[in-house]
């Protein structure tokens, strides 16, 4: 069993082995496979072999991954990992099968709450999204990272993986030239890595490099020097050369923007040499493109063309349309600068064919605008020619002008309505995405609350109860003084058990599960009532036929409101009223406390009120807050408890 566990953790770092040692590793792993008596060890060994061959022979990688299924049980954790590694074997040559296997892995691993299972689920969703990005669906990739990969990595406590995912989001924004937004996500990643004390880890170095690149592309090459120096310090300290090509790329870009051509070429050629030695194809492409930029600014178009053609040949392995358009357009410009006009025209036609629907629509609109302007100018010329004709002709022309104006107004109205509908559709899509993210966050919180409540109640609670029994048994054999001391300790232990169970009930109230919402709210109010603060409540017509999740959401809203009042208001009296009427649920809470300085400024509210607003928004409700310093606070909430979510 000890061998199996060690191999399991070895898999997480196995991809760092150098390609030159692959044959030796293959022999040693095959020896383990043939001599081991444990199925789990054989399965882990086969996965390592599959990873080892994934970049050299996909058929072998798939075969090793499939063989591991015979050593795993159906619906087990190991079976989920088997699907994960089979997906990795398919990754480079069969995207559809790879995505199917990643989803099969996630379905099986979702039954387990171990940290390793959460990490693998996060990796599975990340890789699934990366395949979407390879199919030029970057928006799906970003959505998957935000709603799946990042929450799972956070639940696993894997700060490094969270930072990696933030960097991937930053890279997408870089591809679409939103360098400010990209820089924000890189800064998020840096903050996480610093908090996790990864100050000398290569991942932090890469993050600094990307942040420097964002500065360069924003037109701030001077700001890039500090993060570049920090990244080089980390890489030198860690002895990791795999990130050096990207470092020299950004260093070269910085020199290019400052017109330091010789320094730029030196940095880029150094990076290109390292990338070729380490067979880092994508890094080599990026360095070649930046060399093209240097040659273009120096008007050395023959060298620029050679560099750009190498970039275009390598781009076909990483086909993102935005990159393809840029490369083809630059090739057309370079051919034109060399006087190769037929070749320039050919490249321009390829560029036009690759343009997506957005550019097609934009071009169509520009053509339509030109046609409208032409027609208006033509009508004006006709009017000038007909000025000296008869009165009847003038009247007819006037009537025609009115018709044209009416039609123009009509088309403008139709165009504006279409734009409004499109804006509304985009707004609705953003709202739906925000609701999905909110729901995922709330569900994650509830799952974590339930897990912690079970751990506290069943684990630590049981242990404390056992300690109490042992102390009680031991007290019978002690003298009177020792018995008094033990009874005092037992009393303190009783208080600790009661407090622990109170915390567990707050995290996942048993009354809500057993007796319904009304009983749970009554218990909540009674538990928070004390001699310094009285809580009066009125619960009218509370519907109990709601889905369980909606009951939990309402309970959490009331719990958060009462907790805020107890902690921050300084009130002596609190009144809570909850009622149901048809498809609506109403919550009102009043206190006689010190009030809030400026309740209209949402961005200065605490985390508690922010969580309440998130839940109210998800339940399609509204929240009103009335508070002034010294006059207490009144909060009214109205939410929907039926509709699509309740079906």
């Amino acid at each position: 069993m000890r061998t199996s566990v060690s191999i399991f953790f070895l898999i997480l770092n196995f991809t760092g082995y150098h390609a030159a040692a692959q044959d030796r590793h293959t022999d040693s792993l095959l020896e383990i496979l043939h001599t081991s008596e444990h199925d789990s060890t054989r399965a882990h060994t086969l996965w390592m072999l599959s990873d080892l061959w994934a970049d050299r022979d996909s058929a072998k990688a798939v075969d090793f991954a499939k063989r591991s299924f015979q050593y795993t049980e159906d619906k087990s954790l190991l079976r989920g990992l088997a699907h994960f590694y089979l997906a990795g074997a398919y990754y480079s040559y069969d995207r559809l099968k790879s995505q199917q296997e990643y989803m099969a892995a996630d379905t099986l691993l979702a039954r387990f709450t171990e940290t390793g299972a959460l990490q693998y689920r996060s990796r599975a969703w990340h890789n699934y999204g990366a395949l979407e990005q390879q199919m030029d669906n970057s928006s799906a990739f970003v959505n998957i990272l935000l709603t799946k990969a990042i929450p799972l990595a956070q639940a696993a406590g894997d700060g490094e993986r969270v930072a990696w995912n933030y960097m991937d989001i930053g890279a997408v924004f870089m591809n679409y030239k939103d360098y400010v937004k990209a820089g924000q996500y890189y800064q998020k990643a840096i903050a996480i890595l610093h908090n996790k004390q990864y100050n000398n880890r290569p991942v932090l170095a890469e993050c600094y490099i990307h942040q420097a690149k964002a500065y360069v592309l924003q037109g701030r090459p001077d700001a890039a020097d500090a993060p570049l120096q920090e990244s080089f310090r980390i890489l030198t300290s860690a002895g990791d050369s795999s990130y050096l090509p990207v470092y020299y790329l950004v260093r070269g870009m910085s020199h290019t923007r400052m017109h330091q051509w010789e320094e730029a070429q030196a940095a880029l050629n150094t990076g290109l040499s390292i990338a070729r030695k380490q067979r880092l194809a994508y890094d080599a492409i990026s360095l070649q493109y930046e060399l093209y930029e240097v040659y273009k600014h120096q008007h050395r178009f023959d060298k620029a063309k050679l560099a750009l053609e190498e970039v275009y040949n390598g781009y076909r392995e990483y086909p993102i349309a935005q990159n393809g358009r840029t490369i083809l357009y630059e090739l057309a410009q370079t051919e034109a600068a060399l006087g190769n006009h037929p070749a320039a025209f050919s490249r321009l036609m390829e560029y036009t064919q690759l343009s997506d629907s957005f550019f097609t629509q934009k071009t169509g609109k520009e053509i339509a605008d030109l046609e409208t302007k032409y027609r208006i100018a033509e009508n004006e010329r006709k009017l000038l020619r007909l000025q000296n004709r008869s009165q009847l002709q003038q009247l007819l022309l006037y009537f025609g002008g009115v018709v044209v104006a009416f039609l123009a107004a009509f088309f403008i109205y139709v165009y504006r309505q279409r734009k409004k509908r499109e804006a509304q559709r985009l707004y609705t899509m953003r709202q739906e995405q925000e609701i999905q993210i909110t729901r995922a966050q709330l569900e994650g919180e509830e799952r974590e609350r339930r897990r912690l409540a079970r751990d506290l109640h069943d684990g630590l609670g049981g242990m404390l109860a056992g300690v109490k029994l042992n102390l009680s048994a031991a007290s019978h054999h002690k003298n009177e003084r020792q018995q008094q001391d033990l009874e005092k300790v037992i009393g303190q232990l009783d208080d600790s058990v009661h407090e622990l169970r109170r915390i567990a009930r707050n995290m996942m109230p048993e009354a809500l599960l057993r007796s319904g919402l009304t009983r749970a709210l009554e218990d909540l109010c009674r538990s928070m009532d004390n001699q310094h603060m009285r809580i009066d409540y009125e619960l009218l017509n509370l519907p109990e036929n709601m889905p369980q999740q909606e009951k939990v959401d309402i309970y959490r809203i009331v719990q958060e409101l009462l907790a805020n009042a107890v902690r921050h208001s300084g009130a002596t009296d609190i009144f809570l009223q909850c009622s149901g009427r048809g498809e609506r649920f109403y919550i009102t809470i009043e206190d006689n406390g010190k009030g809030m300085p400026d309740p209209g400024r949402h961005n200065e509210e605490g985390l508690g009120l922010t969580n309440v607003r998130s839940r109210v928004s998800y339940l399609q409700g509204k929240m009103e807050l009335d508070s002034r310093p010294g006059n207490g606070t009144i909060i009214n909430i109205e939410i929907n408890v039926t509709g699509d979510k309740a079906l």
Side-chain angles (χ1 to χ4, degrees):
M1 185 63 185
R2 188 174 300 171
T3 303
S4 173
V5 172
S6 65
I7 292 177
F8 176 79
F9 287 105
L10 181 60
I11 290 174
L12 296 177
N13 300 307
F14 187 72
T15 54
Y17 286 132
H18 196 276
Q22 280 185 329
D23 291 337
R24 180 163 50 85
H25 293 313
T26 299
D27 292 339
S28 61
L29 290 173
L30 288 173
E31 179 66 22
I32 294 173
L33 180 64
H34 293 140
T35 58
S36 176
E37 298 179 355
H38 302 286
D39 285 349
S40 59
T41 303
R42 291 172 178 169
H44 287 121
T45 306
L46 286 166
W47 297 334
M48 295 169 71
L49 286 165
S50 179
D51 259 1
L52 192 64
W53 284 94
D55 294 331
R56 292 199 297 174
D57 190 330
S58 296
K60 276 191 176 182
V62 169
D63 179 63
F64 282 127
K66 285 184 175 180
R67 286 171 58 188
S68 71
F69 280 76
Q70 64 184 300
Y71 302 116
T72 63
E73 296 180 0
D74 190 25
K75 297 183 180 179
S76 67
L77 175 63
L78 293 180
R79 179 59 61 91
L81 297 182
H83 282 288
F84 177 88
Y85 283 99
L86 181 57
Y90 281 129
Y91 188 92
S92 61
Y93 80 98
D94 194 330
R95 292 172 181 168
L96 180 59
K97 284 187 177 179
S98 181
Q99 287 184 318
Q100 290 172 345
E101 291 298 326
Y102 279 129
M103 290 302 93
D106 181 72
T107 300
L108 286 172
L109 294 173
R111 303 172 60 235
F112 303 94
T113 58
E114 291 90 336
T115 298
L118 292 170
Q119 287 176 314
Y120 272 100
R121 290 184 65 199
S122 176
R123 291 172 63 187
W125 276 107
H126 173 277
N127 295 349
Y128 182 97
L131 288 168
E132 288 291 319
Q133 187 189 36
Q134 289 182 23
M135 292 183 282
D136 209 18
N137 192 2
S138 294
S139 60
F141 184 36
V142 171
N143 184 55
I144 287 170
L145 291 176
L146 290 173
T147 62
K148 296 291 185 180
I150 290 175
L152 286 167
Q154 289 171 334
D158 192 343
E160 186 172 5
R161 190 163 302 282
V162 174
W164 274 111
N165 288 323
Y166 276 137
M167 281 194 284
D168 285 336
I169 296 174
V172 172
F173 282 111
M174 291 284 278
N175 285 337
Y176 287 93
K177 300 185 179 180
D178 191 344
Y179 307 123
V180 174
K181 182 72 73 174
Q184 292 171 357
Y185 276 99
Y186 292 136
Q187 187 57 47
K188 281 186 177 183
I190 289 172
I192 291 173
L193 295 172
H194 274 305
N195 289 338
K196 294 292 184 179
Q197 298 181 346
Y198 292 155
N199 294 334
N200 290 315
R201 297 285 290 273
V203 61
L204 181 57
E206 184 181 9
C207 202
Y208 274 121
I209 292 169
H210 289 310
Q211 185 186 50
K213 185 177 181 180
Y215 283 139
V216 170
L217 295 176
Q218 289 176 42
R220 301 167 58 194
D222 52 329
D225 188 59
L228 283 174
Q229 288 184 4
E230 186 64 15
S231 67
F232 192 77
R233 179 194 67 77
I234 295 171
L235 294 176
T236 303
S237 174
D240 191 328
S241 62
S242 61
Y243 294 97
L244 286 176
V246 183
Y247 164 80
Y248 283 111
L249 168 66
V250 180
R251 178 64 76 184
M253 292 171 64
S254 176
H255 287 309
T256 300
R257 269 58 175 183
M258 292 187 287
H259 304 293
Q260 298 169 348
W261 311 120
E262 291 184 4
E263 292 87 343
Q265 283 181 250
L268 294 171
N269 282 321
T270 300
L272 188 59
S273 175
I274 297 172
R276 285 171 173 167
K277 286 180 181 177
Q278 298 186 5
R279 299 181 181 178
L280 301 174
Y282 188 83
D283 292 343
I285 292 171
S286 302
L287 288 157
Q288 284 280 12
Y289 186 83
E290 192 59 30
L291 275 172
Y292 155 75
E293 290 285 349
V294 174
Y295 293 139
K296 182 178 72 171
H297 282 93
Q298 293 179 301
H299 299 288
R300 299 167 66 183
F301 295 111
D302 52 343
K303 287 185 173 292
K305 175 184 174 182
L306 293 175
L308 199 55
E309 284 179 339
E310 286 194 38
V311 172
Y312 186 60
N313 292 332
Y315 146 79
R316 295 175 183 178
E317 296 182 13
Y318 307 92
I320 298 176
Q322 184 71 25
N323 295 341
R325 283 193 296 270
T326 301
I327 296 168
L328 286 169
Y329 182 81
E330 294 295 333
L331 274 170
Q333 296 292 319
T334 304
E335 294 286 8
L338 290 169
N340 302 330
H341 298 294
F345 179 78
S346 175
R347 292 298 190 186
L348 196 59
M349 288 300 98
E350 291 182 64
Y351 167 81
T352 303
Q353 292 171 2
L354 193 60
S355 296
D356 60 10
S357 59
F358 171 79
F359 291 97
T360 303
Q361 292 171 3
K362 182 178 178 182
T363 304
K365 182 180 180 302
E366 291 173 349
I367 293 172
D369 289 343
L370 290 173
E371 184 181 12
T372 301
K373 291 177 182 178
Y374 170 79
R375 288 179 178 176
I376 292 173
E378 187 66 21
N379 287 335
E380 289 176 350
R381 285 194 295 271
K382 288 181 180 179
L383 287 172
L384 289 173
R385 288 197 299 267
L386 295 173
Q387 279 181 347
N388 297 322
R389 294 190 179 182
S390 64
Q391 188 68 31
L392 178 60
Q393 290 175 323
Q394 290 179 2
L395 290 174
L396 290 173
L397 287 172
Y398 175 78
F399 178 76
V402 170
V403 172
V404 170
F406 174 78
L407 290 174
F410 173 78
F411 285 122
I412 291 172
Y413 172 80
V414 171
Y415 174 74
R416 288 179 176 175
Q417 289 298 111
R418 184 177 297 173
K419 289 198 70 175
K420 286 181 180 179
R421 287 196 298 271
E422 181 65 18
Q424 181 63 34
R425 186 180 69 83
L426 292 174
Y427 175 77
T428 302
M429 290 175 60
R430 283 195 294 269
Q431 272 194 326
E432 291 175 351
Q433 185 175 11
E434 290 173 357
I435 288 174
Q436 291 176 357
I437 293 173
T438 301
R439 179 74 268 162
Q441 291 173 340
L442 295 178
E443 289 177 353
E445 289 177 6
E446 290 303 326
R447 284 196 300 269
E448 188 63 13
R449 286 174 186 265
R450 288 194 294 270
R451 185 186 69 79
L452 289 174
R454 287 195 304 269
D455 290 347
L456 289 173
H457 187 277
D458 300 337
L460 185 56
M463 292 171 63
L464 292 176
V467 172
K468 176 185 173 183
L469 289 174
N470 291 333
L471 289 175
S472 297
S475 67
H476 295 303
H477 305 289
K478 304 296 181 180
N479 59 41
E480 183 177 350
R481 176 62 181 273
Q482 290 174 328
Q483 284 182 343
Q484 290 177 352
D485 291 340
L486 284 174
E487 287 174 359
K488 181 179 179 181
V489 172
I490 291 170
Q492 293 173 338
L493 194 58
D494 272 336
D495 293 339
S496 299
V497 171
H498 292 320
E499 178 64 14
L500 183 142
R501 288 176 176 169
R502 184 191 67 78
I503 293 171
R505 283 196 301 271
N506 284 341
M507 299 186 73
M508 193 59 221
E510 297 177 2
L512 182 63
L513 300 176
R514 294 197 311 266
S515 307
L517 182 60
T518 302
R519 177 63 181 276
L521 292 178
E522 290 176 349
D523 289 351
L524 176 64
C525 292
R526 284 197 293 266
S527 69
M528 301 184 75
D529 187 89
N530 57 61
Q531 60 181 351
H532 303 294
M533 178 179 291
R534 186 179 66 183
I535 299 177
D536 295 322
Y537 59 90
E538 190 175 76
L539 308 176
L540 305 173
N541 302 323
L542 301 193
E544 294 292 349
N545 58 348
M546 295 182 291
Q548 186 67 25
Q549 185 57 48
E550 287 191 355
K551 292 180 183 179
V552 172
D553 287 333
I554 292 171
Y555 181 87
R556 292 303 182 201
I557 290 172
V558 174
Q559 184 183 40
E560 196 67 61
L561 292 174
L562 288 174
N564 272 357
V566 170
R567 286 196 297 264
H568 307 301
S569 69
T572 58
D573 289 297
I574 298 175
F575 174 69
L576 169 71
Q577 183 182 65
C578 297
S579 62
R581 186 184 305 162
E583 298 181 351
R584 308 300 290 175
F585 193 96
Y586 303 91
I587 302 172
T588 298
I589 185 168
E590 303 180 25
D591 67 60
N592 63 347
K594 60 185 178 183
M596 298 172 61
D598 189 357
R601 300 178 67 177
H602 296 175
N603 59 338
E604 293 185 0
E605 292 178 350
L607 182 60
L609 281 179
T610 300
N611 289 338
V612 170
R613 289 189 185 277
S614 296
R615 291 184 187 271
V616 171
S617 175
Y618 171 73
L619 292 171
Q620 301 177 7
K622 57 184 179 181
M623 172 177 168
E624 296 178 354
L625 191 151
D626 183 11
S627 180
R628 289 176 177 80
N631 291 330
T633 301
I634 301 174
I635 298 176
N636 293 306
I637 294 174
E638 178 183 349
I639 57 180
N640 177 32
V641 294
T642 60
D644 293 339
K645 300 183 306 307
L647 296 177

